[in-house]
Amino acid sequence: MDPRLEAQLAYLRSDERLIERARLALELPVEDRLALMARLCAQAVAYPRADHREPLPPDAEAALRRLGRGA
Amino acid sequence: MTKLDDAVTVAARIADRFEDGAIPYAIGGALALAAYGMQRMTNDADLGVFIEPDRLPEVHDALERGGCLFERDRAAAEVERASFFTVRCGVVLADIFVSFHPHHDDARERRRKIRMGDGVERWFLSPEDLAIHKLAMLRPKDLMDLEHLFAAQSAGLDVEYIRRWVEAIAPEALDRRRAALDDLVARFTRAG
């Protein structure tokens, strides 16, 4: 692969990029972040809902029970 | 009339009815994740209530006052079986978590009041308790949420509190929850 593309891909998958995205998100006041979230969510419900929940991994049940929750 | 077509509006409406009924609660899930840094789409609202079992009918009353649709008998049976039940409010589904466990005492104590887009402050799970729930389930999407949470909160998280509960829910030293927490701490907190 072109080394420039490889470098770009590595950056896109990096923790550095996640931290930069988080820094940008936190520049917004929390009430603005939640207002933006409401708009994203209104778009989400316009799409067909999945007909199942994402299955829990087999070992999650025991962990959830120890946290006082069923699975 | 408020349109109930997004999880944030629905969570706020339910939270206000819990507040009216003096029912301690906290908003969790993706909404709490957004409050602590990263927004993402979600179809669902998650709320936990901190109550004694005999107050479950009051929770049902509050949800009905909020316009949520559900069957009381089935909801009570689901709480007995799985510690949560699901209601529909407008086009949004809300999961209501009810459990009676020492972790809930800690989570109630640590919850935070956060101002939402309508200017009203409501209770949210602490980032640490959100992390504990995500670590318990640890599906691929939970791991992604945890990375976002740790990237946003980094050194501000009380890692020792998270670790205490992770060790309680994952007693085996080689449990992947413990390894996931160690990995997140190493990658995103300076202390790691």
Side-chain angles (χ1 to χ4, degrees):
Chain A
M1 191 190 295
D2 181 327
R4 288 171 309 169
L5 289 181
E6 215 160 302
Q8 182 74 359
L9 195 57
Y11 173 71
L12 288 173
R13 290 173 172 165
S14 70
D15 292 344
E16 181 194 351
R17 175 171 172 268
L18 267 186
I19 292 166
E20 177 61 10
R21 280 183 60 199
R23 190 189 63 72
L24 287 172
L26 288 169
E27 282 184 358
L28 281 177
V30 64
E31 54 265 45
D32 292 345
R33 288 203 301 278
L34 288 167
L36 182 59
M37 175 91 178
R39 294 180 67 172
L40 286 174
C41 292
Q43 287 174 19
V45 296
Y47 295 101
R49 173 176 285 279
D51 61 2
H52 64 279
R53 289 176 186 274
E54 185 174 351
L56 286 169
D59 58 355
E61 193 168 337
L64 285 171
R65 287 202 190 290
R66 290 190 196 102
L67 203 52
R69 278 183 46 189
Chain B
M1 190 173 178
T2 310
K3 277 176 73 177
L4 297 173
D5 63 356
D6 73 81
V8 179
T9 303
V10 165
R13 171 186 280 225
I14 293 174
D16 291 347
R17 298 294 79 78
F18 286 157
E19 197 73 55
D20 293 344
I23 295 164
Y25 71 91
I27 297 169
L31 275 59
L33 187 66
Y36 298 123
M38 296 281 217
Q39 307 92 336
R40 69 163 165 82
M41 282 188 180
T42 184
N43 281 319
D44 306 318
D46 292 342
L47 292 99
V49 289
F50 307 98
I51 56 160
E52 295 300 319
D54 61 356
R55 293 193 69 193
L56 191 57
E58 293 175 51
V59 172
H60 291 169
D61 291 345
L63 290 163
E64 284 179 347
R65 281 197 300 275
C68 298
L69 300 177
F70 63 103
E71 289 177 30
R72 282 183 176 239
D73 288 348
R74 180 181 282 189
E78 285 298 291
V79 169
E80 191 71 28
R81 186 186 70 82
S83 311
F84 80 96
F85 62 102
T86 301
V87 302
R88 189 162 68 79
C89 198
V91 297
V92 174
L93 296 182
D95 288 336
I96 311 297
F97 294 90
V98 189
S99 75
F100 323 105
H101 184 272
H103 176 251
H104 250 204
D105 296 337
D106 275 358
R108 177 181 177 176
E109 192 68 29
R110 300 174 70 98
R111 66 196 170 131
R112 298 183 184 181
K113 256 198 166 164
I114 289 176
R115 189 179 305 280
M116 296 181 68
D118 60 1
V120 177
E121 290 186 334
R122 298 183 180 87
W123 291 104
F124 282 71
L125 275 186
S126 73
E128 290 84 3
D129 289 302
L130 180 63
I132 291 164
H133 282 285
K134 295 268 169 205
L135 281 161
M137 292 182 283
L138 209 58
R139 297 161 294 186
K141 76 169 184 180
D142 297 312
L143 197 50
M144 206 179 299
D145 285 348
L146 282 160
E147 286 178 331
H148 287 165
L149 181 65
F150 273 72
Q153 294 292 316
S154 63
L157 288 170
D158 182 348
V159 172
E160 288 318 304
Y161 170 78
I162 300 172
R163 195 182 302 283
R164 200 166 69 243
W165 275 112
V166 167
E167 288 176 1
I169 64 175
E172 299 81 18
L174 293 178
D175 192 290
R176 64 195 183 97
R177 285 160 189 77
R178 294 188 180 202
L181 177 59
D182 288 342
D183 179 57
L184 290 162
V185 169
R187 287 162 60 195
F188 296 110
T189 72
R190 294 295 165 260

